């Protein structure tokens, strides 16, 4: 890039335009999901994941593109649309707290039967209801990355009787607790009161939560998914919910977005939120700060954090 040229950067929010209006950088407001016009020529794309899957391919048609900075941890959606020799980074570390907080909200709402109590409130029924509790429960946590670690730290103050973490690689966490490999979870699964999924979507985790897995969960237990929708076999989960044997709280689903006529909407014992775990004001501040730092580093040829593709 010549000294007289500016780095052209597509950004989705006016805040990023304002913060990147600095010498050597030309921010251009363009949102992959909302802008009806094709993207102008640009060196860098800072983007959210399009809510409409059909718009994801717009990434492949940006002329001059050299780098993509994602405003999320999730990156799988963009891989097939990323042109050759275009580098990719994500926002690992910025979304972890928000996702963990949402996960805890789903767990507590489910364990304490808040949807049921809410319905009783609407019907003006004063009916005392006995519920479960995290205190004294056995929790299986699938995922030991940034999100999984933050979920674990938030669960501990609620005094679960057991909190066991599993991931693809067996190891000891830097905080000293063991992380078991996924193939060892079968010894823990039948006794678990709560199973939390915070794994990435890979070939290994595709439909990991299948009929066999679900049948191994004990009656009345809770499945929470804040990882990726395809990790759970929806067709296998639905009969378990409809029979009342299991409970679920899902921030991600398969398919996604969930069609209006899908059976999950009306499934009993199920809370579904629209992939919103990271959608907080604090998250916006954190990913914006990270995106600005990444763009400035790219403009100066400095090393970027959270590299997915070099």
């Amino acid at each position: 890039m010549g000294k007289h040229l500016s780095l052209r950067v597509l950004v989705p929010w006016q805040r990023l335009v304002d913060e990147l209006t600095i010498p050597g950088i030309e921010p251009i407001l363009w949102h992959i999901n909302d802008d009806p016009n094709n993207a102008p020529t640009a060196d860098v794309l800072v983007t959210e994941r399009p809510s409409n899957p059909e718009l994801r391919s717009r990434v492949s048609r940006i002329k001059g593109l050299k780098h993509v900075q994602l405003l999320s941890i999730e990156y799988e959606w963009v891989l097939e649309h990323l042109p050759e020799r275009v580098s990719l980074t994500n926002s690992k570390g910025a979304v972890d707290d928000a996702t963990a907080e949402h996960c805890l909200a789903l767990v507590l709402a489910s364990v304490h039967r808040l949807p049921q109590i809410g319905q009783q409130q609407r019907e003006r029924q004063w009916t005392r209801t006995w519920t479960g509790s995290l205190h004294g429960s056995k929790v299986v946590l699938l995922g030991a990355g940034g999100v999984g670690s933050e979920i674990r730290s938030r669960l501990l103050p609620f005094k679960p009787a057991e909190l066991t973490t599993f991931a693809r690689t067996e190891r000891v966490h830097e905080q000293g607790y063991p992380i078991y490999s996924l193939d060892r979870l079968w010894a823990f699964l039948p006794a678990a009161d709560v199973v939390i999924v915070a794994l990435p979507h890979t070939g290994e985790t595709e439909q990991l939560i299948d009929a066999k897995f679900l049948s191994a969960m004990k009656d009345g237990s809770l499945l929470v998914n804040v990882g990726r929708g395809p990790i759970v076999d929806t067709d296998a989960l639905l009969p378990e919910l409809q029979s009342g044997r299991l409970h679920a709280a899902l921030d991600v689903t398969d398919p996604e977005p969930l069609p209006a006529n899908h059976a999950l909407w009306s499934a009993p014992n199920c809370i579904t939120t629209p992939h919103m775990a990271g959608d907080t004001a604090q998250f916006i501040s954190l990913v914006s700060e990270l995106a600005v730092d990444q763009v400035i580093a790219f403009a100066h040829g400095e090393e970027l954090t959270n590299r997915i593709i070099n």
Side-chain angles (χ1 to χ4, degrees):
M1 185 174 65
K3 292 183 179 179
H4 65 288
L5 297 178
S6 292
L7 188 79
R8 290 170 59 87
V9 183
L10 302 177
V11 296
W13 308 322
Q14 183 61 44
R15 169 178 177 167
L16 290 173
V17 172
D18 297 339
E19 294 183 2
L20 286 169
T21 303
I22 56 180
I25 297 177
E26 180 187 352
I28 303 166
L29 188 63
W30 184 80
H31 197 295
I32 192 171
N33 204 65
D34 300 332
D35 202 309
N37 301 312
N38 292 328
T41 300
D43 303 285
V44 178
L45 169 67
V46 178
T47 186
E48 301 175 288
R49 176 180 59 90
S51 58
N52 181 353
E54 295 180 0
L55 298 178
R56 297 173 182 177
S57 62
R58 301 184 85 182
V59 174
S60 66
R61 298 192 293 273
I62 301 174
K63 295 180 180 179
L65 189 64
K66 300 179 181 68
H67 180 73
V68 174
Q69 166 67 27
L70 297 177
L71 297 167
S72 63
I73 298 177
E74 180 184 14
Y75 63 85
E76 295 86 357
W77 68 269
V78 78
L79 294 180
E80 64 179 294
H81 307 296
L82 203 65
E84 291 185 14
R85 294 183 293 278
V86 174
S87 54
L88 175 69
T89 52
N90 69 357
S91 292
K92 181 180 178 181
V95 70
D96 301 357
D97 286 334
T99 303
E101 188 174 307
H102 190 82
C103 178
L104 185 61
L106 290 175
V107 172
L108 291 173
S110 299
V111 168
H112 289 277
R113 306 288 188 263
L114 294 191
Q116 176 185 339
I117 303 305
Q119 182 61 37
Q120 290 176 190
Q121 178 185 350
R122 288 187 290 275
E123 295 173 356
R124 304 191 181 194
Q125 296 181 9
W126 187 273
T127 305
R128 292 183 63 188
T129 302
W130 290 91
T131 73
S133 172
L134 272 175
H135 189 176
S137 65
K138 295 182 179 181
V139 180
V140 162
L141 173 60
L142 307 184
V147 171
S149 297
E150 292 298 334
I151 291 172
R152 180 183 176 92
S153 69
R154 283 162 174 76
L155 290 170
L156 287 172
F158 289 87
K159 302 178 182 179
E162 293 180 10
L163 175 52
T164 314
T165 301
F166 298 84
R168 289 170 292 179
T169 304
E170 189 158 314
R171 59 194 187 275
V172 176
H173 193 272
E174 60 185 17
Q175 295 180 4
Y177 60 85
I179 299 171
Y180 300 105
S181 60
L182 289 172
D183 58 2
R184 296 183 63 180
L185 67 85
W186 298 99
F188 296 82
L189 191 57
D193 299 291
V194 180
V195 177
I196 298 173
V197 181
L199 292 166
H201 178 209
T202 66
E204 183 182 0
T205 63
E206 173 90 22
Q207 293 201 349
L208 172 69
I209 316 300
D210 58 8
K212 178 184 176 183
F213 185 106
L214 294 167
S215 65
M217 293 176 62
K218 73 177 185 179
D219 292 357
S221 58
L222 169 67
L223 174 70
V224 180
N225 188 8
V226 293
R228 296 291 178 265
I231 297 173
V232 175
D233 182 344
T234 305
D235 289 339
L237 177 61
L238 276 168
E240 299 283 13
L241 296 175
Q242 291 164 344
S243 71
R245 198 182 75 81
L246 296 181
H247 298 254
L250 312 171
D251 183 55
V252 288
T253 61
D254 185 25
E256 189 176 304
L258 201 60
N261 62 348
H262 199 281
L264 265 182
W265 287 114
S266 57
N269 303 322
C270 184
I271 299 174
T272 304
T273 58
H275 202 151
M276 57 175 283
D279 297 349
T280 69
Q282 179 67 2
F283 162 72
I284 294 297
S285 294
L286 291 173
V287 293
S288 296
E289 291 170 9
L290 178 58
V292 169
D293 290 344
Q294 295 277 71
V295 169
I296 293 174
F298 187 86
H300 290 88
E302 299 172 356
E303 183 60 31
L304 304 183
T305 61
N306 299 336
R307 277 196 178 272
I308 307 299
I309 297 177
N310 291 321

